[in-house]
Amino acid sequence: MKRDFLTLLDVSPSELAYLVQRAEDMKQQPKPGHCPLLGKSVGLLFEKASTRTRVSFEVGIYELGGQSIFLSPRDVHLSRGEPLSDTARVLSRYLSGLVVRTYSQETIEILAREADIPVINALTDLAHPCQALADLLTMKENVEDLAGTRVTYLGDGNNVANSLIIGCAMMGMHLTVACPEGYDPDPDFLDKGVRLAEESGGSVRMSRDPREASTGADFLYTDVWTSMGQEEESERRRKDFAPFQLNSERLSDAGGRAKILHCLPAHRGEEITDDVIDHPQSVIFDQAENRLHTQKALLEWIIE
Ligand code: CP
Ligand code: NVA
C-alpha cells in the first residue's frame, strides 16, 4: 500500500517523531552509504512560486540517488484541460513519487486518490506539512525535549499555522496561536490539534492578544500576512495584522530568550522586523536548511 503525505494527519505521532529523528541523523551524515532513490524519478508539479521547497526537494532527491523532474503548469497538459485523474494515472507509470504545490487541497487529494505512487504536499492553501517537519527539527535542535516546549505563532492562521498546530500537538508541545479576529486557523485543524494535544500532554490555544500570547515563549514564529493567491487583500491585511508584528517588544515579552522562527520568504518590516530576523536568537536560516534534511527523511520513508 502506498502512503501519501497530504497533511501531517497522514502520519501518527510516533511516525512524525521518527521522521524528525531520521532527519537529524541524516543531517549529521549527509552522504550515507546507500542511495534509496537510485534509479528512481520523482516529479515536482508546482503551480505556485517556490525557492526553498523546490530547491531542497531537487537537491534532496539528487543526494538520495534519484532524479527530479520539475513540471510547471505551462509544461504539462493540465493547463490545457487534461483531467487531474488522467495526469495522475499517467505520471504513476513513470515516476516513483509526486511532490505537488497547488492551491486547493481538493486538487492534491484527487491526484493522490488516482495515483499509484506516493503524493507529497509541498504547500496548498490549507496545509504545509513539509514546512512543519523542518520547524520541528529546528526546535528539537534548540531544546532538551520538544515535549513541554512553549511556542507562540503570531499572525495569519494560514497553511503554515495549520500544519504547525498538528505538529506541535503530536509532539506534546504547548502552542499559542495569536491571530486577529477573522484570520483564525482552519477549525478542523484546530479541533484535531486540541484533541491530539490532550493525548500527548501538550496544549493548543488561541489568543487575540499578541503581548499576552508571547509571554514566556521558548519560540516566537510568524509567517507572511498575505499568502500566495491573496495578493488583492494585502492592503487590508497590512492594517488588520499590524498589532501582530514580530518585533523586539514581542521578544522582550517572551523574556528576551526566545528563539525566532519564520518559514520564509519574509516581508521584512511587515510581519517581522529586520532586527528580529537577523537577531542572534533567530534560527530562521537553520530552519530553511532543515527543509532539505527533513524532506530527505520523508522521501526515504515514503518511497523506499
Ligand atoms: N517556506 C517555503 O515553503 O518557501 P518557498 O515558498 O520558497 O518554497
Ligand atoms: N503562507 C505562505 C507560505 C509560503 C511558504 C503562502 O502560502 O504563501
Side-chain angles (χ1 to χ4, degrees):
M1 258 299 267
K2 66 130 177 175
R3 297 281 298 263
D4 297 307
F5 188 67
L6 307 188
T7 76
L8 275 192
L9 296 163
D10 286 329
V11 296
S12 66
S14 60
E15 287 169 335
L16 180 59
Y18 164 79
L19 286 171
V20 175
Q21 183 58 56
R22 178 71 183 130
E24 197 170 25
D25 296 344
M26 288 175 120
K27 186 173 181 176
Q28 307 308 326
Q29 203 196 352
K31 303 251 178 320
H34 81 304
C35 291
L37 297 191
L38 192 65
K40 296 185 198 280
S41 301
V42 178
L44 267 63
L45 182 60
F46 276 42
E47 294 192 298
K48 291 178 177 179
S50 171
T51 300
R52 281 141 289 270
T53 310
R54 176 181 176 177
V55 176
S56 57
F57 263 111
E58 294 215 36
V59 171
I61 291 161
Y62 176 76
E63 288 186 3
L64 295 175
Q67 72 157 345
S68 61
I69 301 176
F70 187 78
L71 304 163
S72 81
R74 268 202 321 275
D75 303 322
V76 292
H77 282 283
L78 271 176
S79 56
R80 295 182 59 250
E82 182 166 19
L84 283 169
S85 53
D86 290 352
T87 305
R89 289 167 68 186
V90 169
L91 291 178
S92 299
R93 301 290 178 109
Y94 310 128
L95 302 172
S96 299
L98 186 62
V99 179
V100 181
R101 172 168 284 203
T102 188
Y103 292 86
S104 88
Q105 191 70 15
E106 199 196 343
T107 300
I108 201 167
E109 280 167 7
I110 295 169
L111 287 167
R113 195 178 64 227
E114 300 294 333
D116 301 324
I117 52 173
V119 174
I120 294 173
N121 182 349
L123 183 146
T124 57
D125 292 344
L126 182 71
H128 197 0
C130 292
Q131 181 65 53
L133 293 178
D135 301 344
L136 291 173
L137 173 57
T138 310
M139 291 190 275
K140 187 170 187 288
E141 290 172 331
N142 285 281
V143 292
E144 295 268 300
D145 192 357
L146 282 179
T149 296
R150 285 165 302 176
V151 187
T152 296
Y153 176 93
L154 297 169
D156 190 16
N158 60 17
N159 42 13
V160 168
N162 289 335
S163 296
L164 185 72
I165 287 169
I166 303 299
C168 290
M170 283 187 178
M171 294 296 102
M173 302 167 77
H174 299 291
L175 174 67
T176 301
V177 179
C179 305
E181 226 168 315
Y183 297 100
D184 285 355
D186 179 78
D188 190 41
F189 276 65
L190 208 45
D191 282 356
K192 291 200 168 91
V194 168
R195 210 159 30 78
L196 282 162
E198 274 165 14
E199 288 163 19
S200 67
S203 61
V204 174
R205 73 178 184 101
M206 291 292 304
S207 169
R208 299 278 176 237
D209 179 351
R211 161 157 286 183
E212 171 276 324
S214 304
T215 305
D218 299 309
F219 292 92
L220 293 171
Y221 192 155
T222 193
D223 181 20
V224 290
W225 293 338
T226 300
S227 285
M228 289 180 273
Q230 300 173 327
E231 287 75 11
E232 72 285 1
E233 297 171 22
S234 59
E235 206 178 306
R236 175 165 56 81
R237 285 173 167 268
R238 260 197 296 276
K239 284 194 200 105
D240 291 349
F241 284 109
F244 291 79
Q245 185 186 60
L246 180 42
N247 53 33
S248 55
E249 283 176 57
R250 298 292 83 78
L251 191 53
S252 46
D253 295 339
R257 57 178 193 86
K259 298 270 166 65
I260 308 297
L261 295 163
H262 191 308
C263 63
L264 299 177
H267 292 164
R268 285 171 175 257
E270 220 172 88
E271 76 277 1
I272 189 164
T273 51
D274 276 326
D275 58 327
V276 171
I277 210 168
D278 298 323
H279 194 277
Q281 281 151 235
S282 164
V283 288
I284 289 171
F285 292 92
D286 294 335
Q287 190 184 1
E289 177 189 331
N290 286 337
R291 299 295 305 279
L292 172 66
H293 310 298
T294 45
Q295 286 159 195
K296 282 172 73 179
L298 175 66
L299 288 162
E300 178 193 64
W301 178 75
I302 211 162
I303 294 176
E304 195 184 30

